[in-house]
Every structure is written in structure tokens, then in C-alpha cells.
Amino acid sequence: MNEATTTLDVKGLQCPMPLLKAKKALNELAPGELLRVVATDPGSVKDFQVFSRQSGHELLESVDNDGVFCYLLRKKSR
């Protein structure tokens, strides 16, 4: 199955904006769709881990590429 991925660029934004914008983008996706978030805020690493556990959205990937943080989330089914 070839899944479409929406990309959200929040580079340059500080906490809590990367997470707030990601939550808004997830609300617009259908269940099971993927959201890739690209951020530069080091605090976003912990934010996205906690958000994933609390919200039920699956954090599939969390990568640090020299200060650019990439997250891949799958919107929960319900």
C-alpha cells in the first residue's frame, strides 16, 4: 500500500508552536494517514514523544539530522 504523507515544516518555531501546528495538521488528516514534521526546536523531541503517548497517534520515526528534527506520525484510527 502506497501511503501519502503530508509534510509540515515548522523550522524556526519554538515550543509550543511545532506541536500545536502538528496537532492542527493531524486534525485535517483521515485516520491512518501520515504526517511528517520537520522542526529545529530541540524541545520538540520530548514534546512529540509525550504527545504520541497521550494522544494515541503513533510516532513511527524520530530522527535528529544535525539539529533538524524529523518526526513521522500516523493519525490514530479513532
Side-chain angles (χ1 to χ4, degrees):
M1 184 167 142
N2 189 7
E3 298 174 280
T5 303
T6 300
T7 300
L8 177 65
D9 184 343
V10 292
K11 294 189 298 270
L13 298 180
Q14 297 300 308
C15 182
M17 292 310 295
L19 189 57
L20 292 176
K21 289 191 175 284
K23 287 166 79 171
K24 184 176 187 289
L26 281 165
N27 286 338
E28 297 173 8
L29 297 179
E33 286 189 318
L34 302 176
L35 175 66
R36 180 171 303 282
V37 182
V38 182
T40 51
D41 178 11
S44 65
V45 174
K46 180 83 169 164
D47 290 344
F48 277 93
Q49 290 171 351
V50 171
F51 170 70
S52 176
R53 278 196 308 270
Q54 292 179 346
S55 68
H57 300 300
E58 187 178 0
L59 182 60
L60 302 172
E61 181 179 284
S62 178
V63 178
D64 177 356
N65 292 320
D66 294 323
V68 177
F69 305 95
C70 297
Y71 309 102
L72 183 63
L73 297 140
R74 180 185 311 278
K75 183 171 179 171
K76 66 183 176 181
S77 298
R78 290 190 169 248

Coordinates of all heavy atoms in Angstrom, one line a residue:
M1 N 0.8 -1.2 0.0 CA 0.0 0.0 0.0 C 0.9 1.2 0.0 O 1.8 1.4 0.8 CB -0.9 0.0 1.3 CG -1.9 1.1 1.3 SD -3.1 0.7 2.6 CE -3.3 2.3 3.3
N2 N 0.7 2.1 -0.9 CA 1.5 3.3 -1.0 C 0.7 4.5 -0.3 O -0.3 4.9 -0.7 CB 1.7 3.7 -2.5 CG 2.6 4.8 -2.7 OD1 3.3 5.3 -1.7 ND2 2.8 5.3 -3.9
E3 N 1.3 4.9 0.9 CA 0.6 5.9 1.7 C 1.1 7.3 1.4 O 2.3 7.5 1.3 CB 0.8 5.6 3.2 CG 0.3 4.2 3.6 CD 0.7 3.9 5.0 OE1 1.8 3.4 5.2 OE2 -0.2 4.1 5.9
A4 N 0.2 8.2 1.3 CA 0.5 9.6 1.1 C 1.0 10.2 2.4 O 0.4 9.8 3.5 CB -0.7 10.4 0.6
T5 N 1.9 11.0 2.4 CA 2.5 11.7 3.5 C 2.4 13.2 3.4 O 2.8 13.7 2.4 CB 3.9 11.3 3.8 OG1 4.0 9.9 3.9 CG2 4.5 11.9 5.1
T6 N 1.8 13.8 4.4 CA 1.7 15.3 4.4 C 2.9 15.8 5.2 O 3.3 15.2 6.2 CB 0.4 15.8 5.1 OG1 -0.7 15.3 4.4 CG2 0.4 17.3 5.2
T7 N 3.6 16.8 4.7 CA 4.8 17.3 5.3 C 4.5 18.7 5.9 O 3.9 19.5 5.2 CB 6.0 17.4 4.4 OG1 6.3 16.1 3.9 CG2 7.2 18.0 5.0
L8 N 4.9 18.9 7.2 CA 4.7 20.1 7.9 C 6.1 20.7 8.2 O 6.8 20.0 9.0 CB 3.8 19.9 9.1 CG 3.6 21.1 10.0 CD1 2.8 22.2 9.3 CD2 2.9 20.7 11.3
D9 N 6.4 21.8 7.7 CA 7.7 22.5 8.0 C 7.5 23.5 9.1 O 6.9 24.5 8.9 CB 8.3 23.1 6.7 CG 9.7 23.7 6.9 OD1 10.1 23.9 8.1 OD2 10.3 23.9 5.9
V10 N 8.0 23.2 10.3 CA 7.9 24.2 11.4 C 9.3 24.6 11.9 O 9.5 25.0 13.0 CB 7.1 23.6 12.6 CG1 5.6 23.4 12.2 CG2 7.6 22.3 13.0
K11 N 10.3 24.6 11.0 CA 11.6 25.0 11.3 C 11.6 26.5 11.7 O 10.9 27.3 11.1 CB 12.6 24.8 10.1 CG 12.8 23.4 9.8 CD 13.9 23.2 8.8 CE 13.7 23.8 7.5 NZ 13.0 23.0 6.5
G12 N 12.4 26.8 12.8 CA 12.4 28.2 13.3 C 11.4 28.5 14.4 O 11.5 29.5 15.0
L13 N 10.4 27.6 14.5 CA 9.4 27.9 15.5 C 9.8 27.2 16.9 O 10.4 26.2 16.9 CB 8.0 27.3 15.1 CG 7.4 27.9 13.8 CD1 6.1 27.3 13.5 CD2 7.3 29.5 14.0
Q14 N 9.5 27.9 17.9 CA 9.8 27.4 19.3 C 8.6 26.9 20.0 O 7.5 27.2 19.6 CB 10.4 28.5 20.1 CG 11.8 29.1 19.6 CD 12.8 28.0 19.5 OE1 13.1 27.3 20.4 NE2 13.4 27.8 18.3
C15 N 8.8 26.0 21.0 CA 7.8 25.4 21.8 C 6.8 26.5 22.3 O 7.2 27.6 22.7 CB 8.4 24.7 23.0 SG 7.3 23.9 24.1
P16 N 5.5 26.3 22.2 CA 4.8 25.1 21.8 C 4.3 25.0 20.4 O 3.6 24.1 20.0 CB 3.6 25.1 22.8 CG 3.2 26.6 22.8 CD 4.6 27.3 22.7
M17 N 4.8 26.0 19.5 CA 4.2 26.1 18.2 C 4.4 24.8 17.3 O 3.5 24.5 16.6 CB 4.8 27.3 17.5 CG 4.3 28.6 18.1 SD 2.5 28.7 18.3 CE 2.0 28.7 16.6
P18 N 5.6 24.1 17.3 CA 5.7 23.0 16.4 C 4.6 21.9 16.8 O 3.9 21.4 15.8 CB 7.1 22.4 16.7 CG 7.8 23.6 17.1 CD 6.9 24.5 17.9
L19 N 4.4 21.7 18.0 CA 3.4 20.7 18.4 C 1.9 21.2 18.1 O 1.1 20.4 17.6 CB 3.5 20.4 19.9 CG 2.7 19.2 20.4 CD1 3.0 17.9 19.7 CD2 2.9 19.0 21.9
L20 N 1.7 22.4 18.4 CA 0.3 23.0 18.1 C 0.0 22.9 16.6 O -1.1 22.5 16.2 CB 0.2 24.4 18.6 CG 0.2 24.6 20.1 CD1 0.2 26.1 20.5 CD2 -0.9 23.9 20.8
K21 N 1.0 23.2 15.8 CA 0.7 23.2 14.3 C 0.6 21.7 13.9 O -0.2 21.4 13.0 CB 1.9 23.9 13.6 CG 1.8 25.4 13.7 CD 2.7 26.1 12.8 CE 2.5 27.6 12.9 NZ 1.4 28.1 12.2
A22 N 1.3 20.8 14.5 CA 1.2 19.4 14.1 C -0.2 18.9 14.5 O -0.8 18.1 13.8 CB 2.3 18.6 14.8
K23 N -0.7 19.3 15.7 CA -2.0 18.8 16.1 C -3.1 19.3 15.2 O -4.0 18.6 14.8 CB -2.3 19.4 17.6 CG -1.5 18.6 18.6 CD -1.5 19.3 20.0 CE -2.8 19.1 20.7 NZ -2.7 19.7 22.1
K24 N -2.9 20.6 14.7 CA -3.9 21.1 13.8 C -3.8 20.3 12.4 O -4.9 20.0 11.9 CB -3.6 22.6 13.5 CG -4.6 23.3 12.6 CD -4.2 24.8 12.5 CE -5.3 25.5 11.7 NZ -5.3 25.3 10.3
A25 N -2.6 20.0 12.0 CA -2.5 19.3 10.7 C -3.1 17.9 10.8 O -3.7 17.4 9.9 CB -1.0 19.2 10.3
L26 N -2.8 17.2 12.0 CA -3.4 15.9 12.2 C -4.9 15.9 12.2 O -5.5 15.0 11.7 CB -2.9 15.3 13.5 CG -1.5 14.7 13.5 CD1 -1.0 14.5 14.9 CD2 -1.4 13.4 12.7
N27 N -5.5 17.0 12.7 CA -7.0 17.1 12.7 C -7.5 17.1 11.3 O -8.7 16.7 11.1 CB -7.4 18.3 13.5 CG -7.3 18.2 15.0 OD1 -7.2 17.1 15.5 ND2 -7.2 19.3 15.6
E28 N -6.8 17.5 10.3 CA -7.2 17.6 9.0 C -7.0 16.3 8.1 O -7.4 16.2 7.0 CB -6.5 18.8 8.3 CG -6.9 20.1 8.9 CD -6.1 21.3 8.4 OE1 -5.3 21.1 7.4 OE2 -6.2 22.4 9.0
L29 N -6.3 15.4 8.7 CA -6.0 14.1 8.0 C -7.0 13.1 8.3 O -7.7 13.1 9.4 CB -4.6 13.6 8.5 CG -3.4 14.5 8.1 CD1 -2.1 13.8 8.6 CD2 -3.3 14.7 6.6
A30 N -7.2 12.1 7.4 CA -8.0 11.0 7.7 C -7.3 10.0 8.6 O -6.1 9.9 8.6 CB -8.4 10.3 6.3
P31 N -8.0 9.2 9.3 CA -7.4 8.2 10.2 C -6.4 7.3 9.4 O -6.7 6.9 8.3 CB -8.6 7.3 10.7 CG -9.7 8.3 10.7 CD -9.5 9.2 9.5
G32 N -5.2 7.0 9.9 CA -4.2 6.2 9.3 C -3.3 7.0 8.4 O -2.3 6.4 8.0
E33 N -3.6 8.2 8.0 CA -2.7 9.0 7.2 C -1.5 9.4 8.0 O -1.5 9.5 9.2 CB -3.4 10.2 6.6 CG -4.4 9.9 5.5 CD -4.9 11.1 4.8 OE1 -5.3 12.1 5.4 OE2 -5.0 11.0 3.5
L34 N -0.4 9.7 7.2 CA 0.9 10.1 7.8 C 1.2 11.5 7.7 O 0.8 12.2 6.8 CB 2.0 9.3 7.1 CG 1.9 7.8 7.0 CD1 3.0 7.2 6.2 CD2 1.9 7.2 8.5
L35 N 1.8 12.0 8.8 CA 2.3 13.4 8.9 C 3.7 13.4 9.2 O 4.2 12.8 10.2 CB 1.5 14.2 10.0 CG 2.0 15.6 10.2 CD1 1.7 16.5 9.0 CD2 1.3 16.2 11.4
R36 N 4.5 14.0 8.3 CA 6.0 14.2 8.6 C 6.1 15.7 9.1 O 5.7 16.6 8.4 CB 6.8 14.0 7.3 CG 8.3 14.2 7.6 CD 9.2 13.7 6.4 NE 9.0 12.4 6.1 CZ 9.5 11.3 6.7 NH1 10.2 11.5 7.8 NH2 9.2 10.1 6.3
V37 N 6.8 15.8 10.2 CA 7.0 17.2 10.8 C 8.6 17.4 10.8 O 9.3 16.5 11.2 CB 6.5 17.3 12.2 CG1 6.7 18.7 12.8 CG2 5.0 16.9 12.3
V38 N 9.0 18.6 10.3 CA 10.4 19.0 10.3 C 10.5 20.2 11.2 O 9.9 21.2 10.9 CB 10.8 19.3 8.8 CG1 12.3 19.6 8.8 CG2 10.5 18.1 7.9
A39 N 11.3 20.1 12.2 CA 11.4 21.1 13.2 C 12.9 21.4 13.6 O 13.8 20.5 13.3 CB 10.7 20.7 14.5
T40 N 13.2 22.5 14.2 CA 14.5 22.8 14.7 C 14.6 23.0 16.2 O 15.6 23.2 16.8 CB 15.1 24.1 14.0 OG1 14.1 25.1 14.1 CG2 15.4 23.8 12.5
D41 N 13.4 23.0 16.9 CA 13.4 23.2 18.3 C 13.8 21.9 19.0 O 13.1 20.9 18.9 CB 12.0 23.6 18.7 CG 11.8 23.8 20.2 OD1 12.8 23.8 20.9 OD2 10.7 23.9 20.7
P42 N 14.9 21.9 19.8 CA 15.3 20.7 20.4 C 14.3 20.2 21.5 O 14.2 19.0 21.7 CB 16.6 21.1 21.2 CG 17.0 22.4 20.6 CD 15.8 23.0 20.0
G43 N 13.5 21.0 22.0 CA 12.5 20.6 22.9 C 11.4 19.8 22.3 O 10.6 19.1 23.0
S44 N 11.3 19.9 21.0 CA 10.2 19.1 20.3 C 10.4 17.6 20.4 O 9.4 16.9 20.3 CB 10.1 19.6 18.8 OG 11.3 19.2 18.1
V45 N 11.6 17.2 20.6 CA 11.8 15.7 20.8 C 11.0 15.1 21.9 O 10.2 14.2 21.7 CB 13.3 15.4 21.0 CG1 13.5 13.9 21.3 CG2 14.2 15.9 19.8
K46 N 11.1 15.7 23.0 CA 10.3 15.2 24.2 C 8.8 15.5 24.0 O 8.0 14.7 24.3 CB 10.8 16.0 25.5 CG 10.1 15.6 26.7 CD 10.7 14.3 27.3 CE 10.1 14.1 28.7 NZ 10.3 12.8 29.1
D47 N 8.5 16.7 23.4 CA 7.1 17.1 23.2 C 6.4 16.0 22.3 O 5.3 15.6 22.6 CB 7.0 18.4 22.5 CG 7.4 19.6 23.4 OD1 7.5 19.4 24.6 OD2 7.6 20.7 22.8
F48 N 7.0 15.6 21.2 CA 6.4 14.7 20.3 C 6.3 13.3 20.9 O 5.3 12.5 20.7 CB 7.1 14.6 18.9 CG 6.6 15.8 18.1 CD1 7.3 17.0 18.0 CD2 5.4 15.6 17.3 CE1 6.8 18.0 17.2 CE2 5.0 16.6 16.5 CZ 5.6 17.9 16.5
Q49 N 7.3 12.9 21.7 CA 7.2 11.6 22.4 C 6.0 11.6 23.4 O 5.2 10.6 23.4 CB 8.5 11.3 23.2 CG 9.7 11.0 22.3 CD 11.0 11.0 23.1 OE1 11.0 11.3 24.3 NE2 12.0 10.5 22.4
V50 N 5.9 12.6 24.2 CA 4.8 12.7 25.2 C 3.4 12.8 24.4 O 2.4 12.1 24.8 CB 5.0 13.9 26.1 CG1 3.8 14.1 27.0 CG2 6.2 13.6 27.0
F51 N 3.4 13.6 23.4 CA 2.1 13.8 22.6 C 1.7 12.5 22.1 O 0.5 12.2 22.1 CB 2.4 14.9 21.5 CG 1.2 15.0 20.6 CD1 0.0 15.5 20.9 CD2 1.4 14.5 19.3 CE1 -1.1 15.6 20.0 CE2 0.3 14.6 18.4 CZ -0.9 15.1 18.8
S52 N 2.6 11.7 21.5 CA 2.2 10.5 20.9 C 1.6 9.5 21.9 O 0.6 8.9 21.7 CB 3.5 9.8 20.2 OG 3.2 8.6 19.7
R53 N 2.2 9.4 23.1 CA 1.7 8.5 24.1 C 0.4 9.0 24.6 O -0.5 8.2 24.8 CB 2.7 8.5 25.3 CG 3.9 7.6 25.2 CD 4.6 7.3 26.5 NE 4.9 8.5 27.2 CZ 6.1 9.1 27.1 NH1 7.0 8.7 26.3 NH2 6.3 10.2 27.9
Q54 N 0.2 10.3 24.8 CA -1.1 10.8 25.3 C -2.2 10.8 24.3 O -3.4 10.7 24.7 CB -0.9 12.2 25.9 CG 0.0 12.1 27.2 CD 0.3 13.5 27.8 OE1 0.0 14.5 27.1 NE2 0.8 13.5 29.0
S55 N -1.9 11.1 23.1 CA -3.0 11.3 22.1 C -3.4 10.0 21.4 O -4.5 9.9 20.8 CB -2.5 12.2 21.0 OG -1.4 11.7 20.2
G56 N -2.5 9.0 21.3 CA -2.8 7.8 20.6 C -2.3 7.8 19.2 O -2.4 6.8 18.5
H57 N -1.8 8.9 18.7 CA -1.2 9.0 17.4 C 0.2 8.3 17.5 O 0.9 8.5 18.4 CB -1.0 10.4 16.9 CG -2.3 11.2 16.8 ND1 -3.3 10.8 16.0 CD2 -2.7 12.3 17.4 CE1 -4.3 11.7 16.1 NE2 -3.9 12.6 17.0
E58 N 0.5 7.5 16.5 CA 1.7 6.6 16.5 C 2.9 7.4 16.0 O 2.9 7.9 14.9 CB 1.5 5.4 15.7 CG 2.6 4.4 15.8 CD 2.3 3.1 15.0 OE1 1.2 3.0 14.3 OE2 3.2 2.3 15.0
L59 N 3.9 7.5 16.8 CA 5.2 8.1 16.4 C 6.0 7.1 15.8 O 6.6 6.2 16.5 CB 5.9 8.8 17.6 CG 7.2 9.5 17.3 CD1 7.0 10.7 16.4 CD2 7.8 10.0 18.6
L60 N 6.1 7.0 14.4 CA 6.8 6.0 13.7 C 8.3 6.3 13.6 O 9.1 5.3 13.4 CB 6.2 5.9 12.3 CG 4.7 5.6 12.2 CD1 4.2 5.7 10.8 CD2 4.4 4.2 12.8
E61 N 8.7 7.5 13.7 CA 10.1 7.9 13.4 C 10.4 9.2 14.2 O 9.5 10.1 14.2 CB 10.3 8.1 11.9 CG 11.7 8.4 11.5 CD 11.7 8.6 10.0 OE1 11.7 7.5 9.3 OE2 11.7 9.7 9.5
S62 N 11.5 9.3 14.7 CA 12.0 10.5 15.4 C 13.5 10.5 15.1 O 14.3 9.7 15.7 CB 11.7 10.5 16.9 OG 12.3 11.6 17.5
V63 N 14.0 11.5 14.2 CA 15.4 11.5 13.8 C 15.9 12.9 14.0 O 15.3 13.9 13.7 CB 15.5 11.1 12.3 CG1 16.9 11.2 11.8 CG2 14.9 9.7 12.1
D64 N 17.2 13.0 14.5 CA 17.9 14.2 14.6 C 19.0 14.3 13.5 O 19.9 13.5 13.5 CB 18.5 14.3 16.0 CG 19.4 15.6 16.2 OD1 19.6 16.4 15.2 OD2 19.9 15.7 17.3
N65 N 18.8 15.2 12.5 CA 19.8 15.3 11.4 C 20.5 16.7 11.7 O 20.1 17.7 11.1 CB 19.1 15.3 10.1 CG 18.6 14.0 9.7 OD1 19.2 13.0 10.0 ND2 17.4 14.0 9.1
D66 N 21.5 16.6 12.5 CA 22.3 17.9 12.8 C 21.5 19.0 13.2 O 21.6 20.1 12.7 CB 23.2 18.2 11.6 CG 24.3 17.2 11.3 OD1 24.8 16.6 12.3 OD2 24.6 16.9 10.1
G67 N 20.6 18.8 14.2 CA 19.7 19.9 14.7 C 18.4 20.1 13.9 O 17.7 21.0 14.3
V68 N 18.2 19.3 12.9 CA 16.9 19.3 12.2 C 16.2 18.0 12.6 O 16.7 17.0 12.3 CB 17.0 19.5 10.7 CG1 15.7 19.4 10.0 CG2 17.7 20.7 10.3
F69 N 15.1 18.2 13.3 CA 14.4 17.0 13.9 C 13.2 16.7 12.9 O 12.4 17.5 12.6 CB 13.9 17.3 15.3 CG 15.0 17.8 16.2 CD1 15.2 19.2 16.3 CD2 15.8 16.9 16.8 CE1 16.3 19.6 17.1 CE2 16.8 17.3 17.6 CZ 17.1 18.7 17.8
C70 N 13.2 15.4 12.6 CA 12.1 14.9 11.7 C 11.3 13.8 12.4 O 11.8 12.9 13.0 CB 12.7 14.3 10.4 SG 13.6 15.4 9.4
Y71 N 10.0 14.0 12.4 CA 9.1 13.1 13.0 C 8.1 12.6 12.0 O 7.6 13.3 11.1 CB 8.3 13.8 14.2 CG 9.2 14.6 15.1 CD1 9.3 15.9 15.0 CD2 9.9 13.9 16.1 CE1 10.2 16.6 15.9 CE2 10.8 14.5 16.9 CZ 10.9 15.9 16.8 OH 11.7 16.6 17.7
L72 N 7.7 11.3 12.1 CA 6.7 10.7 11.3 C 5.6 10.2 12.2 O 5.9 9.3 13.0 CB 7.3 9.6 10.4 CG 6.3 9.0 9.4 CD1 5.8 10.1 8.4 CD2 7.0 7.9 8.6
L73 N 4.4 10.7 12.0 CA 3.3 10.3 12.9 C 2.2 9.7 12.0 O 2.0 10.2 10.9 CB 2.7 11.5 13.6 CG 3.6 12.2 14.6 CD1 3.4 13.7 14.5 CD2 3.3 11.8 16.0
R74 N 1.5 8.7 12.5 CA 0.4 8.1 11.9 C -0.9 8.5 12.7 O -0.9 8.3 13.9 CB 0.4 6.6 11.8 CG -0.8 6.0 11.1 CD -0.8 4.5 11.1 NE 0.4 3.9 10.7 CZ 0.8 3.7 9.4 NH1 0.0 4.0 8.4 NH2 2.0 3.1 9.1
K75 N -1.8 9.1 12.0 CA -3.0 9.5 12.8 C -3.8 8.3 13.3 O -4.0 7.3 12.5 CB -4.0 10.4 11.9 CG -5.2 10.8 12.6 CD -6.0 11.8 11.8 CE -7.2 12.3 12.6 NZ -7.9 13.4 12.0
K76 N -4.2 8.4 14.5 CA -4.9 7.2 15.1 C -6.2 6.9 14.4 O -6.8 7.8 13.7 CB -5.2 7.5 16.6 CG -6.1 8.6 16.9 CD -6.2 8.8 18.4 CE -7.1 10.0 18.7 NZ -7.2 10.2 20.1
S77 N -6.7 5.7 14.5 CA -7.9 5.3 13.8 C -9.1 6.0 14.3 O -10.0 6.3 13.6 CB -8.0 3.8 13.9 OG -6.9 3.1 13.3
R78 N -9.2 6.2 15.6 CA -10.4 6.9 16.2 C -9.9 7.8 17.3 O -9.1 7.6 18.0 CB -11.3 5.8 16.8 CG -12.0 5.1 15.7 CD -13.1 4.2 16.3 NE -13.9 3.7 15.2 CZ -15.2 4.1 14.9 NH1 -15.8 5.0 15.7 NH2 -15.8 3.6 13.9

